Amino acid sequence: MEGTEEKSEKFLKGIAVRQKVMGTAHVDKVLDQARDFSRPVQELVTEYAWGEIWSRPGLDLKTRSMLNLAMLTALNRSSELAGHVRGALNNGVTEEQIQEFLLQTLVYCGAPAALEAFRIAEQTISAYKELHAPSANKYAP
C-alpha cells in the first residue's frame, strides 16, 4: 500500500499482525486493490481491528481466531469466515478444533448458520491443505 511511511504506529503494527494471521499475499492484495472509496475502511480496519484489538496482549492470536470463527458464524458472514478459517489454521488452530467450534455454534447460533459455516470451513480447509501440502521432490532418489 502506498504511503505506509506516513501511517501511524498502530497502522504499521496492524499490517504486521494482519499479514501474520491472514498471509502477506492476501493482505497486500486487499490493500493494493482498495480504491479511493474503500481505502478509508481498509485503513481503519488495519489500524483499529488489527493494530489495536488483535495486537492486545490479553489473548493470543489462536484464541482470537477461534472467537472470530464463532462470531462470523453467528453473523452469517460467509466471505469473512473463509478468510478467518485460513487465519485460524495459520495461527495453529487445528481442523478438529474448528470442527468443535462450529459444532458448538449449531446449538447457540442455529443449524442454518452452522451448516453454512461447515460448508465454508470444509472447502477452505481442503484448499489450505492443498496449498500447504509438501511437494514431491522429483529429484529425490
Side-chain angles (χ1 to χ4, degrees), residues 100-121:
E100 288 299 322
F101 239 74
L102 296 180
L103 283 170
Q104 186 150 341
T105 66
L106 184 128
V107 175
Y108 291 94
C109 303
L115 288 167
E116 177 69 5
F118 264 92
R119 280 190 286 276
I120 291 163

Side-chain angles (χ1 to χ4, degrees), residues 37-50:
F37 183 78
S38 61
R39 187 168 292 110
V41 74
Q42 285 298 327
E43 291 173 351
L44 284 169
V45 164
T46 300
E47 185 167 350
Y48 294 108
W50 295 99

Side-chain angles (χ1 to χ4, degrees), residues 34-98:
R35 303 283 184 250
D36 289 341
F37 183 78
S38 61
R39 187 168 292 110
V41 74
Q42 285 298 327
E43 291 173 351
L44 284 169
V45 164
T46 300
E47 185 167 350
Y48 294 108
W50 295 99
E52 180 70 29
I53 301 303
W54 276 81
S55 299
R56 291 177 58 83
L59 296 172
D60 61 21
L61 295 177
K62 183 176 179 179
T63 302
R64 290 183 189 284
S65 282
M66 290 188 288
L67 285 167
N68 269 22
L69 297 181
M71 291 184 288
L72 292 168
T73 297
L75 294 169
N76 203 19
R77 299 298 190 257
S78 302
S79 62
E80 288 292 314
L81 180 63
H84 281 280
V85 167
R86 284 189 304 275
L89 293 166
N90 287 339
N91 284 334
V93 180
T94 67
E95 187 175 341
E96 181 182 49
Q97 289 171 320
I98 291 171

Side-chain angles (χ1 to χ4, degrees), residues 4-63:
T4 54
E5 63 280 340
E6 300 171 15
K7 302 296 181 190
S8 73
E9 184 179 325
K10 282 187 182 169
F11 179 88
L12 296 175
K13 191 176 194 178
I15 287 285
V17 173
R18 194 175 185 185
Q19 288 175 332
K20 182 176 182 178
V21 174
M22 304 303 281
T24 300
H26 171 77
V27 175
D28 289 350
K29 180 181 174 186
V30 168
L31 294 177
D32 289 344
Q33 290 179 349
R35 303 283 184 250
D36 289 341
F37 183 78
S38 61
R39 187 168 292 110
V41 74
Q42 285 298 327
E43 291 173 351
L44 284 169
V45 164
T46 300
E47 185 167 350
Y48 294 108
W50 295 99
E52 180 70 29
I53 301 303
W54 276 81
S55 299
R56 291 177 58 83
L59 296 172
D60 61 21
L61 295 177
K62 183 176 179 179
T63 302

